């Protein structure tokens, strides 16, 4: 999603801004720009491309000035063009802004501003902010200028503005904005990774806060104009964890981090897991909500909580949550699962449930995220920053935490805590089949469709495997409940079809073998993921046997991730940055 950054201090702003944008590249973007303030002028340079290309093209790093703003854009309103790239000026070059989020009433504001004589240069919703600031701007009172502007805006947004007099100002409303504190300067950014190389001291602005960085001093206000104090926090993440190490891509590195993730996730948090369990055991219904990959974890959570911990659960994709609001009340608990903790759909669901009076629990990777902050209690998956756009290690970390919670609720009868080391070793064994999976990927390189089948607790893994294949390789893939095959999808199966069956030796095994035979009769190629060979499989990806079969999802997702990764490589696709996708989906 869009990244925003601002800097004011003793150093040259431009090289810092460029570096910050590079650190945030993982969030996804299509165009780049910066503005620096020098000698009473705000100078903007921007274009379509990646940070390195635009930096070279416009020699961004040499732009002089001690204050500036920068942006990477992920297009939502308006095409990917130079005009639509940020920063945006108003009519004059006195002020430039960068923005993340959506201004819902931008059409009305644009008409109103045009009637007042403003001229627009882009198709973005963001440009209205620059014109509004310009309209209210008086050199004396930047605070009122910003507050008046925010009062006009509807939507979820964060913006940073550079003013000709050298001041930088930022404002947030339902989108993150964080101050990085330096000796002799400040950053203001949508992501701590924007400044973590320089400082780990941060202030997380509250919703409806305004920050003004003026003559190297920071002033914070709320939208009513009251001065506010916000606590300084030390950020725990290490920038070094952003290195690819010996791996060609972040995605591959993150896939290989999973054995450690399985072994460690939640170990430090046993006390907090206890608190979580107490809240979960109480309510009439637990609603579990999430998007994308995190939703697949939610499906497994529902299965485990309802069948083993006997908690009444419902699972709902976050974007659908607004349509079931009538069924929840103040005796419900909402469990929201989100790697980023900033996904707009998830946040909206949590806000709505909170307003009704439900308790909010969350599982996040970013403890300072908006979701964590609004929760009654949250647990961290602690897998470190996930840079690859496709979620891999965060999924197994979420799963591990869910297993740890349910294990505790079942008096450790699930055997997850007791078997962590064994599961980590089993994960390594699966990952050791990487070269075999690479050969399979080569066979599937021209596939038109790949179907991934599973039953019961393995069905969410089928969905997750299909999602990974789709987003990384752009091959159509579908996760299907194996038992549903004969109710329709079998019509699609012929000798050109590839089917992956997730089939460990548990109570779903025999029925899956029957499904495999039905598919085989129709000439499709079958890849079995199992600890038990069967003649129906053309290829077997071997799983180590696990004592408690309910733990298989943790290891059976791994071969699917590697398959998706190699399909991307073979098809010449960058697995870290698939087209049209962003790491953190902060717009609805
Ligand atoms: C898929 C993927 C997305 C995210 C989804 C939710 O690989 O990464 O489907 O899982 O956008 O993101 P979070 O978990 O940050 O809420």
């Amino acid at each position: 999603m869009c990244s925003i950054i601002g800097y004011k201090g003793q150093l040259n702003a431009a090289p810092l801004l460029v570096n910050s944008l590079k650190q945030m590249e993982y969030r996804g973007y299509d165009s780049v720009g910066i503005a620096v303030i020098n000698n009473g002028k705000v100078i903007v340079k921007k274009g379509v491309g990646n940070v390195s290309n635009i930096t070279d093209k416009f020699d961004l790093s040499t732009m002089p000035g001690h204050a500036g703003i920068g942006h990477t854009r992920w297009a939502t309103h308006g095409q990917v063009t130079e005009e639509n790239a940020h920063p945006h000026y108003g009519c004059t070059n006195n002020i430039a802004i960068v923005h993340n989020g959506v201004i819902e009433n931008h059409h009305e504001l644009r008409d109103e501003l045009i009637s007042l004589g403003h001229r627009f240069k882009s198709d973005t919703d963001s440009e209205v902010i620059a014109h509004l600031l310009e309209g209210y701007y008086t050199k004396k009172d930047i605070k009122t200028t910003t507050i008046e502007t925010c009062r006009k805006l509807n939507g979820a947004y964060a913006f940073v503005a550079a003013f000709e007099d050298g001041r930088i100002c930022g404002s947030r409303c339902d989108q993150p904005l964080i101050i990085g504190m330096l000796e002799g300067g400040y950053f203001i950014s949508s992501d701590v990774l924007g400044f973590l190389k320089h400082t780990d001291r941060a202030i997380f602005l509250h919703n409806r806060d305004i920050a003004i960085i003026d003559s190297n001093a920071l002033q914070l206000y709320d939208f009513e104009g009251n001065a506010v104090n916000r606590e300084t926090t030390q950020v725990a993440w290490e920038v070094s964890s952003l290195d690819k190490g010996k791996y060609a891509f972040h995605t591959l590195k993150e896939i290989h981090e999973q054995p450690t993730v399985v072994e460690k996730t939640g170990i430090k948090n046993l006390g907090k897991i206890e608190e979580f369990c107490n809240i979960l055991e109480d309510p009439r219904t637990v609603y579990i909500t999430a998007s994308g990959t995190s939703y697949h974890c939610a499906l497994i959570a529902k299965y485990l909580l309802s069948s083993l911990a006997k908690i009444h659960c419902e699972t709902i994709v976050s974007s659908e949550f607004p349509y079931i609001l009538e069924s929840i009340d103040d005796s419900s608990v909402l469990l929201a699962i989100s790697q980023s903790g900033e996904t707009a759909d998830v946040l909206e669901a949590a806000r709505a449930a909170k307003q009704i009076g439900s308790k909010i629990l969350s599982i996040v990777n970013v403890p300072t995220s908006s979701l964590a902050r609004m929760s009654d209690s949250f647990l961290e998956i602690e897998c470190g920053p996930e840079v690859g756009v496709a979620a891999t290690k965060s999924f197994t970390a979420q799963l591990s935490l869910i297993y740890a919670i349910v294990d505790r609720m079942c008096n450790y009868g699930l055997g997850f805590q007791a078997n962590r080391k064994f599961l980590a070793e089993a994960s390594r064994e699966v990952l050791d089949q990487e070269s075999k999976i690479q050969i399979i990927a080569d066979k599937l390189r021209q596939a038109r469709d790949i179907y991934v089948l599973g039953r019961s607790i393995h069905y969410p893994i089928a969905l997750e495997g299909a999602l990974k294949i789709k987003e990384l390789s752009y091959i159509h893939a579908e996760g299907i409940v194996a038992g549903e095959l004969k109710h329709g999808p079998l019509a699609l199966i012929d000798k050109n079809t590839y089917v992956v069956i997730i089939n460990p030796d548990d109570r779903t095994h025999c029925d899956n073998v029957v499904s495999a035979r039905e598919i085989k009769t129709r000439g499709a190629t079958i890849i079995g993921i199992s600890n038990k060979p069967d003649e129906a499989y053309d290829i077997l990806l071997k799983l180590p046997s696990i004592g408690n079969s309910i733990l298989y999802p943790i290891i059976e997702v791994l071969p699917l991730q590697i398959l998706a990764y190699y399909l991307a490589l073979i098809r010449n696709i960058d697995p870290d940055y698939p087209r049209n996708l962003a790491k953190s989906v902060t717009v609805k």
Side-chain angles (χ1 to χ4, degrees), residues 154-193:
N154 293 339
Y157 61 83
F159 69 81
V160 181
F163 290 76
E164 57 176 3
D165 62 3
R167 289 181 288 181
I168 300 276
C169 137
S171 168
R172 70 158 288 202
C173 181
D174 292 336
Q175 290 286 338
L177 199 58
I178 309 150
I179 308 279
M181 325 266 288
L182 304 169
E183 290 301 316
Y186 297 93
F187 279 101
I188 181 164
S189 176
S190 47
D191 189 324
V192 288
L193 294 175

Side-chain angles (χ1 to χ4, degrees), residues 186-448:
Y186 297 93
F187 279 101
I188 181 164
S189 176
S190 47
D191 189 324
V192 288
L193 294 175
F195 54 73
L196 208 49
K197 236 180 169 170
H198 305 275
T199 178
D200 61 358
R201 287 193 312 129
I203 294 177
F204 289 82
L205 294 183
H206 291 196
N207 217 18
R208 299 168 64 81
D209 273 359
I210 286 168
I212 298 171
I213 306 170
D214 184 3
S215 312
N216 296 333
L218 174 71
Q219 293 143 25
L220 301 180
Y221 302 96
D222 61 21
F223 276 16
E224 281 65 53
N226 306 307
V228 290
N229 275 320
R230 304 294 180 217
E231 184 195 346
T232 307
T233 321
Q234 192 169 4
V235 181
W237 277 359
E238 308 263 328
V239 175
S240 59
S241 47
L242 289 177
D243 285 344
K244 283 186 279 194
K246 63 176 184 181
Y247 296 98
F249 289 93
H250 289 287
T251 305
L252 189 62
K253 175 179 173 242
E254 286 158 8
I255 288 173
H256 279 278
E257 281 169 10
Q258 292 176 105
T260 314
V261 160
V262 173
E263 201 173 335
K264 301 263 159 64
T265 304
I267 290 277
K268 283 199 300 199
N269 267 331
L270 292 178
K272 251 190 139 186
I273 288 180
E274 195 65 36
E275 177 186 314
F276 231 65
C277 293
N278 290 339
I279 301 180
L280 280 174
E281 271 160 356
D282 203 27
R284 230 180 40 212
T285 307
V286 174
Y287 290 87
I288 314 176
T289 194
S291 303
T293 290
S294 299
Y295 177 68
H296 300 147
C297 177
L299 291 173
I300 294 184
K302 176 188 170 165
Y303 183 94
L304 294 172
L305 282 167
S306 53
S307 64
L308 299 178
K310 307 294 177 203
I311 305 283
H312 185 248
C313 294
E314 297 290 341
T315 314
I316 180 97
V317 167
S318 297
S319 58
E320 288 290 309
F321 199 78
Y323 314 115
I324 61 120
L325 268 185
E326 302 74 36
S327 34
I328 71 164
D329 59 31
D330 58 4
S331 70
S332 319
V333 162
L334 184 81
L335 169 58
I337 306 177
S338 171
Q339 187 281 129
S340 61
E342 298 296 350
T343 301
D345 291 330
V346 182
L347 287 177
E348 185 172 284
R351 273 185 214 114
K354 202 176 170 83
Q355 205 162 31
I356 290 171
S358 309
K359 273 219 159 69
I360 311 295
L361 297 179
S362 62
I363 291 180
V364 296
N365 195 22
V366 186
T368 46
S369 60
S370 306
L371 181 60
R373 289 159 164 271
M374 69 184 293
S375 300
D376 294 286
S377 179
F378 69 91
L379 286 172
E380 288 174 57
I381 57 173
E382 291 178 294
C383 65
E386 186 176 63
V387 177
V389 163
T392 53
K393 65 173 178 174
S394 66
F395 178 68
T396 43
Q398 291 167 344
L399 266 189
S400 301
L401 208 45
I402 291 292
Y403 275 107
I405 292 167
V406 178
D407 203 11
R408 148 62 193 81
M409 289 175 119
C410 304
N411 290 324
Y412 300 102
L414 199 64
F416 175 73
Q417 294 290 10
N419 282 298
R420 277 179 185 267
K421 267 203 167 31
F422 171 78
L423 286 166
E425 215 28 68
S427 309
R428 274 183 205 105
E429 248 181 77
V430 176
L431 295 174
D432 282 347
Q433 296 178 66
E434 187 171 332
S435 47
K436 181 172 180 186
I437 300 172
Q438 192 172 356
I439 295 168
I440 299 172
D442 198 42
K443 266 193 200 315
L444 268 62
R445 67 192 305 163
Q446 301 295 359
R448 197 196 51 207

